[in-house]
Amino acid sequence: DPQSFAFRVLYAPGAPRFVAQWDRSAQLVFNAGYFDEKNAALGLLVSDGKTFGRSYEGIGGMFAVAGGAPVVRSLAAQPYRRGEPLAQAVQGFPMLIYPDGSTFAKEDSVRARRTALGQDASGKMYLVVAPHAAFTLTELARWLRDSKLGLTIAFNLDGGGSTGYYAGPNDAIDSLTPIPAVVAAYSR
């Protein structure tokens, strides 16, 4: 429930860590977007109002916080505008559920650990973590659409070894590799 949590994107390209090592004071920490071999953000990343990287154009999705309100949006339907006043943001791809209700449908055979972020019509945010190589992207998109979550939009965050979340010492699935960026949720 976005009314119950404040979100931050934490970014330290020079000091990547496993998801569980990022911020144990947060109620939830999970892996963010893609990054290169030097741990620099791919796509746009905004941490506490500071902008890094360049926005994807015409592809993917974005989780953003502006004016304290979190939102998931399609970059094809709602492109990032340079100078847009974002407090926090992270981008990823592909879109799994588009605003028109369609889903990602490119057939692939790669099953991997997956992380997806979505939102329902009431504005509730959903983090979906598949910690085992259970889904292709197409299968994950179908599962999200057919689930009882009622998602109206969702996109893929970096998966594979980056997938992980930490919600306390007894509720965690750590990333397999250190990562330079996470999203953290704090109780209001």
Side-chain angles (χ1 to χ4, degrees), residues 139-159:
E139 291 168 342
L140 179 58
R142 282 190 207 128
W143 183 87
L144 290 171
R145 179 199 62 209
D146 297 343
S147 74
K148 296 185 190 280
L149 298 176
L151 299 178
T152 57
I153 191 167
F155 73 102
N156 184 66
L157 291 167
D158 194 10

Side-chain angles (χ1 to χ4, degrees), residues 60-131:
M62 178 167 72
F63 166 76
V65 178
V71 66
V72 172
R73 70 192 216 202
S74 161
L75 292 167
Q78 239 183 318
Y80 169 73
R81 295 178 324 275
R82 187 173 171 90
E84 194 175 328
L86 301 176
Q88 314 291 332
V90 64
Q91 295 180 340
F93 62 88
M95 288 299 299
L96 298 170
I97 300 175
Y98 293 91
D100 67 4
S102 64
T103 60
F104 178 79
K106 180 181 176 188
E107 284 302 323
D108 61 58
S109 60
V110 179
R111 295 187 189 296
R113 292 165 53 116
R114 304 281 182 201
T115 306
L117 194 58
Q119 195 166 24
D120 69 14
S122 72
K124 287 186 179 171
M125 306 298 298
Y126 290 84
L127 169 67
V128 177
V129 174

Side-chain angles (χ1 to χ4, degrees), residues 26-86:
Q27 294 299 115
L28 175 65
V29 178
F30 58 94
N31 62 290
Y34 293 94
F35 51 92
D36 67 16
E37 64 281 344
K38 294 181 181 177
N39 293 310
L42 298 176
L44 179 76
L45 185 142
V46 180
S47 177
D48 297 333
K50 295 179 186 163
T51 302
F52 303 90
R54 291 179 35 176
S55 181
Y56 296 128
E57 293 185 22
I59 65 163
M62 178 167 72
F63 166 76
V65 178
V71 66
V72 172
R73 70 192 216 202
S74 161
L75 292 167
Q78 239 183 318
Y80 169 73
R81 295 178 324 275
R82 187 173 171 90
E84 194 175 328
L86 301 176

